[in-house]
Amino acid sequence: MKFDTPATTNPIDQLKVVGRPTDRIDGPRKTTGTAPYAYERHDVAAQPAYGHIIGAGIAKGRIQRLDLKAAEAAPGVLAIVTAETAGKLGQGKFNTAKLLGGPEIQHYHQAIAVVVAETFEQARAAAALVQVEYAPSSGAFSLEKAKGEAKPPKDDPDNPPSTRVGDFDGAYAQAEVKLDQTYTTPDQSHAMMEPHATLAVWEGEKLTVWTSNQMIDWGRGDLAKTLNLPKANVRLISPFIGGGFGGKLFLRADVIMAALGAKAVGRPVKVALQRPLIMNNATHRPATIQRLRLGAQRDGKITAISHESWSGDLPGGQPETAVAQTRLLYAGANRYTAMKLAVLDLPEGNAMRAPGEAPGLMALEIAMDELAEQLSMDPVQLRITNDTQVDPEKPKRPFSQRRLAECLTTGAERFGWNRRPTRPGERREGAWLIGMGVAAAFRNNLVMKSGARVRLDNQGVVYVETDMTDIGTGTYTILAQTAAEMMGVGLDEVVVRLGDSALPVSAGSGGQWGGNSSTAGVYAACVKLREMVARKGGLDAKAAETAVFADGQVSAGGKRFSLAEAAGPQGLVAEDHMEYGDLDKKYQQSTFGGHFVEVAVHAFTGEVRVRRMLAVCAAGRILNPKSARSQVIGAMTMGVGAALMEELAVDEHRGFFVNHDLAGYEVPVHADIPHQEVIFLDETDPMSSPMKAKGVGELGICGVAAAVANAVYNATGVRVRDYPVTLDKLLAKMPPLA
Ligand code: MOS
C-alpha cells in the first residue's frame, strides 16, 4: 500500500483500542524474567561455548606480534580467532571501522581476537594470557585541536554541508541586538542496560544469530556482507532488547566474533561485549563545538541566524548533524548553517537518541535564552515571536502540523512560569538558589517503509508477524492495538511476533520512526486481511467497504458473520507493507514540544538538583499514552544526564574514553529525577500515515539539557556553555553569599 494522499477517516479513528493507555502486553514476561534476551537463549543452545573479546590496547597503529601460545594452552580453550585466522571478511555498509581489527588498528578497543572456551570464566582467564605487541602511530584525538583542519562533510541531500538563505552577514552586521557565542557538547555513550550480546549457531553454511539489534534487516544484510554469505543464509533474531538508543542500530563486534567463533569450534558460541569494552568498542555520540550567531530587532524578531557545528569521526565517518533543527525551528529571513567534520582517531561516532537535534538544541536553546536576556524579553515570548508555519528555508513549504507555540504557552501555564525569578540569583530557600528554565523541543518525523503479515486462525485469533523490534519502547503493544482496532477484536485475541529476519521486513527501531511506521505497516496488512474476510463472508465490493468489524464479528449489508467463520479451518493470511510517496517532501513533518525545568543549586557546593520537569509534546496521534509517556520521561531523564553528568572523558594522548564503565560514566539514577509531568496536545497528523501518528521517543530528550542549563543560569547567574554543567564550572562564579 502506498501512502501518498492525506489520510481520511479509517478504522483506526474509532479509537476503541488505539489511543488508550494500555499496559504493555510484554510486561508480565519482562517482570517475571521470562522474556529471553540474546545471552539467555538456553532454550536454543543447551551447551554453548563462550567467547571473550580482546580489544586493542592502542588507538592507532599496528599489531606487531600476537602471541597466543599461553592462551591456547589454558584450561578449556577451544579456539582463538584473530584477523589472521578469520579468513577474508567483507565490510558492512553501516560500519566505519572494521568489527575485527588487525594487524591495522583503527581505534582503541577495536576487537582484535575472540577467545572461545568451555566456560565464560575460562575464556576470560585465557584472554588475559594473550600477549600483544603494538607499533603505535600518532593520531588525532582532540576535536578542539583538529577543528582548524575540519572539512565540509560529503554531500547528503537531507543534511547538506551548508545552507544559505538571504544575506546572513549583511543582516547580522545591521542587527540591533546580536549574540555570538560558542557552546560545546561532549562525547556521550548510549549506556544501555543490556550489553551488546549474541549467540551464534551454524547449521552447515547457514547462520542464525540471537542478538540485540534495533534494525533486523540492516543487520542481516551487513552480517551477510561481512561474512561473505548470501543474505538468505543469515537469520537474525532479536525479540527482546534491553535498550539501544541508537547504539544497536548496527552490528557490533559481538555478532561477528560470535559467528566466527562458532564457525571455528563447530558449536554454538555466546559473546557479550564486556561492559568496560562497550564505550570504546561500540559507537558513541560525537562531541561538538557549535557557534551560534543570532541577530534580532528590538522587538525580538530574528533577522539573521547562523549555526556552525564542528564534530569529528574516524576517516570515512560522518558529522553530527547538530544544525538540523536550526534550519527549521525559527523564522528569520537571513540564514546560514554549516557543518565541519574533523578526522579523529577516537572510536566510531554515530547516532544516539535524536542524533543532530539533541546536541544541536543543547546549543541553540541556550543561545535563545541569552538573546531573550539581552532583549529583556521573556524566553517563552521570544520563541513564540519567532514561530513559523512554513519551512524558513523554503517558504512555500508548510509544516504538516506545527503547534510549538501552543506547547510553550500550555507549558508556561501548567508549570507556573509566571513565578520564575526575573533576575538570576534572586530566589533563595536557605542555602539553595532556585531557578526555572525553558527550551523548545524539536525533532523531525521520518517515515520508513514497513511490512507485516497478519494471520487469522479458525478461532478468530489474529497473529501479527514482522521483523520490527521492541527496544523497550512498547512496540509489541502498539502493534497489537493496531491489529485489534483494524480487525475488531480485543487485545487478548492478538498475538504479536517480532524481531526475526524470517518475518516481513519492517521499518525497525530508529530515529523515532518506528512507532508510526511499523503500525502503518500492520495497518496495510490488516486492510488486506479485512478484504479477504469480506470476500470469504460473501460480501460484494460495496458491502465490504462499509463492513463493520467489531467484537470478532463482521456486519454489512444485513449480513453478520464471525471472523472465525470467515477464516475457515485453514485460516487466512495477508501480507503488505506501507510505503510513502512524497507527502514528507511537500510538507515538513516535525514534532514539537516545550520543556520546563526547575532547579535548586546549592550556594556553597554548586550541587544542582532538578526539582520539577514538565514536557508538553505535539507529536501527532499518541497511539498509547502510557508507553508514549514512558518514552518521554525516559528521554527527559536522559536529557538531565546530558545536562549535568554525561561525558566520555577523552585521554588526548592515548586516544580513548577513560571512563569506560557505568561507575565512571555517570547517568541519572532515580534519586536524581524529580516529579516529571508530560502533556500531549490532542492532535492527529494526516500527512504522516493512516495512523496519523508521529515519533515521540526522541522528541522527549530534545531541548531538555538546555532547559536545565537555562534554569541553572536563572538560579545562579552563572552561564555555563560547556556541557555537562558540573559543579566545578559553577563554584568559582557563584554569587557572593549574603
Ligand atoms: Mo536512534 S539514535 O536512530 O536509535
Side-chain angles (χ1 to χ4, degrees), residues 190 214-215 218 244-250 285 350-355 443 446 471 509-513 698:
H190 307 84
Q214 300 173 222
M215 299 293 300
W218 292 4
F245 309 118
K248 294 173 180 168
L249 286 167
F250 320 112
R285 190 201 300 279
N350 214 310
M352 179 168 141
R353 200 173 202 166
R443 171 72 173 152
L446 305 172
I471 62 172
S509 299
Q512 81 167 9
W513 63 64
E698 297 188 331

